[in-house]
């Protein structure tokens, strides 16, 4: 979707619609900042900041707790085509990542550094504080038996839907609690006919995404290829690293980049105050 450039003009196929939206509902004050301002985290994390390291083999999945203020770094060590994630509020698992609201609220389907991930209750679950690749998909969803059968001719291959249902069952949830996911390292676009397509260059070995927890979270990670990923079924190992990131500053980019993000964090503040965890 359209982004505001340094000149203040919106660019992209929906520039006119987005400019009209801000004129009607917020004016210049509500316009998003230039996302090239968002700076990344250190490439190498000091050992004393790291709480957990984990390797997830190709096709498999992992669940982990992520405390508020910690950052999960997903490292694509072997340039595997897509790593899917789900996020749940650890204190109330009925609150979980909402892909539709995350895209709609921020007027952007290409989620990358500087964007935030909304729950179905209007709160911010996590912030994307670093992203060396820059293309993550919240539109298509993860792979399933059906997509694997159609693409690879083998429904028995491990897939994201079944991975998430299995993880859910181990954490007091079931398949009804598995919503559409976020898939990292997935350059998905939409063609002129409205069809999803895989576009752009693939990730390179070592690309990573940092996700800072804004509430205490339960995170599911599925290392199965995106359903549109080209080539044969050959997912490779990925690495997960949980580290204690610095406390957000008052002008933290993710928290202040858009009016929508500001409102989301205001909702977080009210929620945390009610829990006595300000």
């Amino acid at each position: 979707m359209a982004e505001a450039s340094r000149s203040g003009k919106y660019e992209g196929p929906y520039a006119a619609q987005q400019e009209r939206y801000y004129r009607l509902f917020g004016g210049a004050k509500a316009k998003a900042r230039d996302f090239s301002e968002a700076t990344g985290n250190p490439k190498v994390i000091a050992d004393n900041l790291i709480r957990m390291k984990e390797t997830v083999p190709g096709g498999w999945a992992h669940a982990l707790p992520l405390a508020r203020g910690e950052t999960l770094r997903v490292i694509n060590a072997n340039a595997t085509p897509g790593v899917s994630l789900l996020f749940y509020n650890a204190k109330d698992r009925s609150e979980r990542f909402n892909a539709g609201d995350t895209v709609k609220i921020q007027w952007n389907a290409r989620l990358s550094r500087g964007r935030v991930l909304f729950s179905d209750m209007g709160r911010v679950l996590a912030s994307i504080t670093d992203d060396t690749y820059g293309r993550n998909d919240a539109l298509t969803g993860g792979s399933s038996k059906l997509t694997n059968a159609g693409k690879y001719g083998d429904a028995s291959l491990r897939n994201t839907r079944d991975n998430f249902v299995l993880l859910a069952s181990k954490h007091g949830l079931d398949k009804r609690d598995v919503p559409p996911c976020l898939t990292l390292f997935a350059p998905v676009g939409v063609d002129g006919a409205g069809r999803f397509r895989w576009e752009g260059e693939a990730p390179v070995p070592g690309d990573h995404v940092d996700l800072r927890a804004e509430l205490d979270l339960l995170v599911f990670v599925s290392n199965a290829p995106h359903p549109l990923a080209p080539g044969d079924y050959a997912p490779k190992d990925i690495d997960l690293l949980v580290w204690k990131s610095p406390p957000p500053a008052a002008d933290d980019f993710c928290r202040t980049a858009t009016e929508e993000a500001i409102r989301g964090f205001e909702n977080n503040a009210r929620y945390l105050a009610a829990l006595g965890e300000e």
Side-chain angles (χ1 to χ4, degrees), residues 198-215:
W198 191 268
E199 61 184 19
E201 296 181 0
V204 299
D207 271 333
H208 71 263
V209 177
D210 278 353
L211 299 146
R212 183 181 65 207
E214 305 296 356
L215 298 174

Side-chain angles (χ1 to χ4, degrees), residues 81 143-144 146-155 157-158 224-235:
S143 60
S144 65
L146 184 62
T147 63
N148 281 352
K151 184 173 178 59
Y152 307 109
D154 188 351
L157 296 170
R158 293 186 66 91
H226 189 281
L228 296 180
D232 297 329
Y233 183 92

Side-chain angles (χ1 to χ4, degrees), residues 113-145:
R113 182 189 298 158
R115 296 294 180 178
V116 299
L117 308 180
F118 282 91
S119 78
D120 49 6
M121 297 184 183
R123 293 187 276 263
V124 178
L125 296 177
S127 298
I128 306 174
T129 56
D130 200 7
D131 182 359
T132 62
Y133 180 55
R135 295 293 299 275
N136 307 298
D137 175 38
L139 297 176
T140 312
S143 60
S144 65
K145 287 181 180 178

Side-chain angles (χ1 to χ4, degrees), residues 29 38 48 61 68 80 83 89 108 111-112 124 129 134 137 155 163 173 204 214 231 255 265-266 273:
K29 179 181 177 181
N48 66 316
R68 179 163 60 101
T80 197
V83 178
N89 180 341
N108 198 293
L111 304 173
S112 59
V124 178
T129 56
D137 175 38
N163 279 345
L173 303 168
V204 299
E214 305 296 356
R255 294 184 171 217
F265 280 104
E266 289 171 349

